Amino acid sequence: MNKAPVIAIDGPSGSGKGSVARLVAEELGFALLDSGALYRVLGIAVLRHGVDLEDHAAVAELARTLDVEFGKSGEDSVALEGEDVTLAIRTDAGSDMASRVGGIPAARTALLERQLAFRQPPGLVADGRDMGTVVFPDAEVKIFLTAAVEERAKRRYKQLIGKGIGAILPDLLRDLKERDERDSLRAISPLKPAEDATVLDTTDLDLAAVVARVLELVTAQLPTLDT
Ligand code: C5P
């Protein structure tokens, strides 16, 4: 069994977990798993292949055979069947489809093995919704990031505008609330902190402060690592 250490960072969209996970992974020299990107790519693949979302077996089959490659044309790039979908997966449609395929149990099972394969020495930082509860329940460090929904909508707005993607703040706020509700209430892998996770509210913290706090927790809980 592969016992490379895992730092699980879970939380809702806009909690900052993506940026925090990337910086923490860089600092530690660990690999990074952006599990949300996998759900997003699957969502886009469902659209492109014209698969019916109600046909769970077909969605799961697509998940099993999904040809996805990370980092092909740049650090945070994602390719689907050889085509760069880095921007496409971040659109509203990409977010919405990710949340929809994420509610299909067979699709989650199909993506599980792929996620486990990221656990390689010297270690992994995994970001998502169920990293600490379902995918890596034995993670050495578990962190759950939260922030007020209005603050999360503002962050997402800035992120999208920064990437040159058009966005409307009230629409983003409404979509985030809807997605939070769907992610939190679903029967399988709902968005909730693991019992042994440290919950960090980032509403009033900037990125550097959150990263510093996470590295403190890592040093305390993984004393063999010299950060
Ligand atoms: O983290 P991100 O916002 O990219 O995730 C997009 C969507 O993918 C989430 O709203 C959620 O529905 C789904 N997801 C999930 N499980 C994960 C990561 C993401 O269900 N581990």
Side-chain angles (χ1 to χ4, degrees), residues 49-97:
H49 287 266
V51 171
D52 179 0
L53 265 178
E54 298 302 318
D55 186 348
H56 291 186
V59 178
E61 179 57 20
L62 194 56
R64 254 187 304 280
T65 55
L66 199 64
D67 172 10
V68 52
E69 202 180 335
F70 289 96
K72 191 182 173 202
S73 53
E75 210 192 345
D76 62 357
S77 72
V78 190
L80 167 64
E81 290 153 12
E83 187 196 329
D84 193 315
V85 290
T86 314
L87 290 181
I89 62 167
R90 302 290 160 196
T91 58
D92 288 349
S95 303
D96 185 61
M97 285 303 291

Side-chain angles (χ1 to χ4, degrees), residues 15 151 155 200-211 213:
S15 58
E151 173 63 22
R155 289 177 188 172
L200 255 180
D201 188 329
T202 72
T203 307
D204 298 316
L205 297 177
D206 66 13
L207 182 57
V210 182
V211 170
R213 181 77 190 107

